[in-house]
């Protein structure tokens, strides 16, 4: 009963039999070719708390997210993704920016059967009014190497990172595992990250901005629950950092890197 109610609720949110012939066939018909993967896709999601690299971007509040991707068969890809945020406005009453819009492009492929790679460029855009702080827009390049369901990714900032002055050259290391549990639709996720700041801005008030974060999550593809839920995934995530007590990451009395559980629902079209 509970499952039926959940299916109905999610369906509202995202709001032929073959006849056999008794006569023997002369030859079996050729199998229909598989449908090509779509070149353009879109996605929309709802999270109870937007967490990025272990830090809340919405002050612990829910937000809607979504984007568009272009992924031709060549391996090239490009896209745009957006989310509501509050951390910039929370930092200073003189600043007002409530949206993050990311644009990205890259190239990814596989090699030697079980290996994969991905290289690209990512631009974080934070449109708004900035009265007292450096604009938070950030440029990063990244490279990833993967083996089966394990990946290692290195991101390097070409600009100041998220408005922190004199931090160009900051890097982030992301070690992740995404294990699909057979045909169950469940995926188990583990992540460890390390943010290392560079430049004279790496220390503020005598305290380093460097920190590590980790994440444990499970997602479930619920496309099979109902036709209206095709492409829908629900998830539960727990994330934490070692920066919860770092004064540089406490805003309006809120510890941005404190441990928190997050619920999510996402759909790809």
């Amino acid at each position: 009963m509970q499952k039926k109610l959940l299916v109905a609720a999610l369906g509202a949110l995202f709001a032929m039999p073959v006849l056999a012939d008794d006569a023997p066939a002369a030859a079996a018909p050729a199998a229909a070719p598989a449908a090509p993967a779509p070149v353009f896709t879109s996605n929309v999601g709802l999270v109870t708390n937007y967490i990025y690299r272990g830090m809340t971007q919405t002050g612990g509040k829910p937000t809607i997210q979504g984007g568009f991707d272009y992924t031709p068969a060549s391996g090239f890809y490009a896209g745009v993704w957006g989310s509501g945020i509050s951390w910039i406005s929370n930092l200073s009453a003189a600043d007002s920016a409530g949206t993050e819009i990311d644009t990205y492009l890259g190239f990814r492929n596989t090699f030697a059967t079980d290996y994969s790679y991905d290289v690209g460029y990512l631009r974080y855009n934070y449109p708004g009014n900035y009265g007292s702080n450096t604009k938070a827009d950030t440029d990063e390049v990244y490279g990833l190497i993967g083996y089966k369901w394990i990946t290692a990714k290195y991101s390097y900032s070409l600009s100041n990172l998220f408005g922190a002055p004199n931090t160009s050259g900051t890097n982030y290391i992301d070690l992740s595992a995404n294990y699909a549990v057979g045909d169950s639709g469940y995926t188990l996720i583990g992540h460890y990250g390390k943010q290392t700041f560079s430049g004279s801005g790496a220390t503020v008030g005598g305290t380093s901005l460097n920190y590590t974060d980790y994440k444990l999550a499970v997602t479930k593809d619920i496309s099979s629950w109902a036709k209206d839920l095709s492409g829908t995934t629900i998830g539960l995530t727990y994330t934490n950092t070692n920066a919860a007590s770092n004064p540089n990451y406490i805003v309006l009395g809120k510890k941005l890197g404190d441990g928190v559980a997050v619920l999510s629902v996402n759909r790809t079209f």
Side-chain angles (χ1 to χ4, degrees):
M1 180 65 181
Q2 292 179 338
K3 181 176 180 180
K4 291 182 178 179
L5 290 174
L6 178 58
V7 169
L10 290 172
L13 175 65
F14 295 117
M16 290 200 295
V18 178
L19 297 179
D21 187 347
D22 291 336
V39 174
F40 290 97
T41 58
S42 60
N43 60 85
V44 63
L46 173 66
V47 293
T48 57
N49 190 354
Y50 172 24
I51 304 292
Y52 187 65
R53 294 181 181 174
M55 299 289 174
T56 178
Q57 309 294 295
T58 54
K61 298 179 180 180
T63 191
I64 295 176
Q65 305 171 328
F68 299 90
D69 289 287
Y70 172 64
T71 55
S74 63
F76 169 81
Y77 64 88
V80 58
W81 181 87
S83 176
I85 61 164
S86 64
W87 66 271
I88 294 175
S89 300
N90 291 341
L91 280 173
S92 172
D95 300 327
S96 177
T99 305
E100 173 186 338
I101 302 175
D102 301 341
T103 49
Y104 48 89
L105 58 87
F107 185 86
R108 58 187 170 217
N109 212 329
T110 59
F111 65 99
T113 306
D114 290 326
Y115 291 87
S116 60
Y117 66 89
D118 184 356
V119 292
Y121 164 80
L122 170 59
R123 165 80 175 181
Y124 306 84
N125 304 278
Y126 300 94
N129 298 314
Y130 293 83
S132 62
N133 293 310
T134 304
K135 197 170 183 181
D137 294 356
T138 300
D139 298 285
E140 280 189 343
V141 291
Y142 56 85
L144 174 150
I145 189 76
Y147 175 70
K148 294 186 177 180
W149 41 273
I150 299 173
T151 60
K153 181 179 179 181
Y154 178 82
S155 299
Y156 180 87
S157 176
L158 303 175
S159 63
N160 290 330
L161 189 75
F162 306 135
N166 304 312
T167 56
S168 178
T170 291
N171 70 80
Y172 184 77
I173 296 174
D174 173 353
L175 303 177
S176 295
N178 293 261
Y179 181 74
V181 184
D183 297 326
S184 66
Y186 285 97
T187 299
L188 305 179
I189 301 168
H191 155 84
Y192 171 84
K194 183 174 178 59
Q195 184 78 74
T196 303
F197 283 80
S198 296
S200 59
T203 299
V204 177
T207 303
S208 173
L209 295 177
N210 297 344
Y211 69 92
T212 60
D213 70 279
Y214 67 88
K215 175 177 71 175
L216 297 173
V218 58
T219 64
K220 167 66 174 175
D221 185 334
I222 59 173
S223 299
S224 62
W225 288 11
K227 181 175 65 174
D228 292 340
L229 296 179
S230 176
T232 303
T233 302
I234 56 176
L236 172 64
T237 300
Y238 177 78
T239 180
N240 206 343
T241 75
N242 67 348
S245 299
N246 187 324
N248 294 307
Y249 297 112
I250 299 177
V251 178
L252 300 179
K254 175 72 175 180
K255 296 180 178 180
L256 304 184
D258 213 359
V260 64
V262 178
L263 296 173
S264 64
V265 56
N266 295 278
R267 183 169 185 180
T268 300
F269 301 88

